């Protein structure tokens, strides 16, 4: 049945979509559900209030039947080759550093086995996961990074065979290892109702956002590198030192029923940033962060550096809630490898600085194309659509060759933006502009199509610049602002009492 499907299973958990027509992140009415075993006995029951439902406490390799108000589905949990209890290896909530004990426990997990962390706050340094394992955090379990970075391992920018491991803003660089680092971890699953705390609020991580310490950049909380068939479900991430979840060169990645929360003033604590990845599904994730909620990237062209570039393809985002943050869904500015095929549907954006945001600049190269947003509702988002090919990032971002509005020569460093559609998008209390689009004169933005785009305006709004580029005038209550861009369709204005007029 449409709106009822399994998202991901592990041996002991299920993430599923329970979304009737019109549902976004939150359900307008609770949906009752009952879980039964193969003999029809009731195992659990409850009410779903969000479109993504997460169930735990299941038995490995077992068939179940879920009965809901909108339909029924059957599923089977994954087999488990062996359960390893973290406590059996001396991992203790009273210990100031459990790093060595965790390493022993991870080493003991058999292929297709599970490491389970029980209740309590367990402090550790960086951990390195391995393929075909499940890390399961029980409800009440917390994996927390220690505050002292003395002896913290540094991930080199490349392996001995020249594969890129560490990146920072699209370029290969050494980085401090993440609290959880997974390199070549095909078949990895991270699941449960527990908390993964990156420790950004402890120590000094947030005090040097654009600098290096010991020659390395700040760590992520979860760094997935060169992996395939990975799932992350159920858990809560918080207090990331920089980007929270950073998949790099991953294929067939699934993230659902997850919460990502970082303080609003924490620097560059993006929620989920797939970089040069293929076949990514993000469903039912709740974001409240200090930077972009989702930032889709594909590397940055550097002087004499292009071998690390690879495209991002086929990203599907649905039934998510984006709160605060600089952008809800952002493409770029690191997009030199190309971003192809991004779909955002049935989501809610709350008080993000921008809704859908594409940003690039001269010197990047690469193409962003086939981007669609449909059935999305926004509240208090100043600019629902922002497309900026003059983004003044990097130390030279305000130089004349980047910001000059005269046409520049077209070559492999000229970025291209095309094929962007907005359908059935409703934005409440817009303050600046419904859409602001600034393309390059030598490479205009092609094929922006708008249909069913409705906005109301914030009566208390003050004028400000809708795009981060030189020479952009402040605006208030604007409709579509477009320069060097092909835009078709119109925006309709409404008042909160539902009066509809052309903007």
């Amino acid at each position: 049945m449409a709106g009822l499907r399994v998202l991901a299973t592990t041996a002991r958990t299920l993430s599923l979509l329970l979304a009737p027509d019109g549902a976004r992140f939150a359900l307008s009415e609770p949906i009752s559900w009952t879980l039964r075993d193969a003999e029809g006995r009731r195992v659990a029951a409850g009410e779903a209030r969000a479109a993504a439902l997460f169930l735990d406490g299941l038995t490995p390799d077992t068939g179940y039947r879920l009965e809901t108000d909108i339909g029924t589905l059957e599923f089977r949990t994954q087999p488990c080759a062996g359960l390893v209890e973290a406590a059996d290896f001396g991992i203790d909530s009273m210990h100031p550093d459990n790093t060595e004990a965790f390493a022993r426990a991870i080493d003991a997990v058999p292929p297709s086995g599970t490491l389970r962390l029980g209740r309590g706050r367990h402090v550790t340094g960086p951990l390195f996961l391995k393929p075909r394992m499940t890390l399961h955090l029980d409800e009440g379990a917390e994996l927390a990074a220690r505050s002292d970075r003395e002896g913290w391992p540094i991930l080199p920018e490349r392996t001995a065979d020249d594969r890129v491991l560490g990146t920072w803003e699209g370029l290969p660089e050494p980085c401090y290892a993440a609290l959880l680092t997974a390199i070549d971890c095909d078949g990895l699953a991270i699941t449960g109702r527990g908390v993964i705390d990156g420790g950004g609020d402890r120590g000094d991580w947030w005090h040097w956002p654009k600098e290096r310490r010991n020659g390395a950049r700040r760590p992520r909380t979860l760094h997935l590198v060169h992996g395939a068939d990975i799932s992350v479900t159920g858990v809560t991430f918080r207090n990331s030192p920089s980007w929270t979840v950073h998949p790099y060169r991953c294929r067939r990645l699934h993230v659902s029923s997850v919460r990502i929360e970082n303080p609003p003033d924490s620097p560059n604590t993006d929620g989920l940033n797939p970089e040069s990845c293929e076949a990514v599904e993000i469903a039912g994730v709740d974001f409240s962060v200090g930077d972009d909620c989702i930032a889709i990237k594909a590397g940055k062209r550097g002087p004499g550096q292009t071998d690390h570039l690879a495209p991002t393809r086929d990203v599907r985002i649905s039934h998510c809630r984006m709160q605060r943050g600089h952008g809800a869904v952002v493409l770029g500015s690191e997009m030199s490898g190309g971003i192809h095929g991004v779909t955002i549907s049935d989501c809610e954006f709350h008080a993000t600085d921008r809704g859908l945001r594409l940003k690039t600049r001269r010197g990047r190269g690469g193409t962003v194309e086939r981007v669609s947003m449909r059935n999305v509702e926004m509240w208090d988002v100043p600019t629902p659509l922002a497309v900026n090919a003059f983004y003044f990032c990097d130390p030279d971002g305000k130089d004349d060759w980047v910001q000059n509005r005269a046409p520049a020569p077209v070559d492999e460093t000229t970025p291209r933006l095309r094929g962007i559609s907005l359908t059935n998008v409703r934005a409440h209390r817009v303050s600046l502009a419904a859409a602001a689009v600034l393309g390059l004169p030598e490479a205009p933005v092609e094929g922006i199509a708008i249909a069913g785009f409705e906005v109301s305006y914030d009566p208390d709004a003050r004028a400000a610049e809708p795009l981060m580029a030189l020479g952009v005038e402040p605006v208030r209550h604007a409709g579509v602002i477009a320069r060097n861009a092909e835009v078709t369709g119109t925006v309709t204005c409404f008042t909160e009492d539902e009066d509809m007029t052309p903007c």
Side-chain angles (χ1 to χ4, degrees), residues 468-490:
M468 295 178 68
L470 297 184
V472 174
E473 296 294 326
V475 295
R476 176 182 181 272
H477 292 184
V480 176
I481 303 169
R483 183 176 178 185
N484 302 321
E486 175 190 59
V487 182
T488 60
T490 58

Side-chain angles (χ1 to χ4, degrees), residues 161-201:
D161 60 356
D162 214 33
R163 289 192 310 157
V164 173
L165 290 181
T167 68
W168 181 262
E169 295 185 348
L171 291 173
E173 287 199 45
C175 299
Y176 281 95
L179 175 60
L180 294 175
T181 299
I183 302 170
D184 294 319
C185 285
D186 293 2
L188 172 69
I190 298 172
T191 192
R193 294 186 184 273
V195 172
I196 300 171
D197 188 325
D201 60 336

Side-chain angles (χ1 to χ4, degrees), residues 296-482:
I296 300 166
K297 299 178 179 292
K300 178 169 65 178
R301 182 184 299 270
Q305 287 185 296
T306 58
D307 67 319
H308 64 289
L309 300 179
T312 291
R313 302 182 188 275
D314 183 21
V315 179
R316 290 158 289 138
I317 302 163
S318 72
H319 300 92
C320 293
R321 178 168 64 185
M322 288 74 164
Q323 300 180 86
R324 302 198 312 257
H326 295 177
V329 179
V330 178
L331 284 68
S333 64
E334 302 88 23
M335 42 65 70
S336 300
I339 300 173
H340 313 275
V342 176
T343 302
I344 307 119
S345 64
D346 305 300
C347 290
E348 302 174 11
F349 301 167
H350 297 263
T352 57
D353 292 346
R354 299 159 188 87
L356 174 60
R357 183 184 189 190
L358 284 71
K359 52 183 181 177
T360 187
R361 46 154 285 188
R362 290 179 176 129
R364 285 283 195 261
T367 299
V368 177
E369 61 184 353
R370 302 194 310 278
V371 180
S372 69
M373 183 168 69
R374 63 176 184 268
N375 302 327
V376 169
E377 193 156 13
M378 311 183 196
W379 291 264
D380 302 303
V381 175
T383 307
L385 174 64
V387 181
N388 182 8
F390 285 90
Y391 183 54
F392 50 44
C393 56
D394 292 343
D396 64 348
K398 296 183 180 181
D399 289 357
D400 183 69
W401 73 273
V402 178
Q403 293 294 325
N404 196 302
R405 297 304 194 265
V410 175
D411 58 21
E412 70 276 4
T413 71
T414 305
R416 305 273 185 177
L417 304 174
R418 62 191 181 213
I420 303 158
S421 66
L422 277 70
T423 307
N424 297 333
V425 173
R426 189 171 175 87
H428 302 259
R429 298 184 295 273
V430 169
S431 57
L432 302 185
V437 184
L438 178 59
L440 296 172
E442 66 270 21
V445 182
E446 302 176 57
I448 296 181
I450 294 170
F453 187 8
E454 302 172 358
V455 301
S456 71
Y457 288 109
D458 177 5
D460 299 321
R462 295 183 179 182
E465 295 84 359
L467 300 173
M468 295 178 68
L470 297 184
V472 174
E473 296 294 326
V475 295
R476 176 182 181 272
H477 292 184
V480 176
I481 303 169

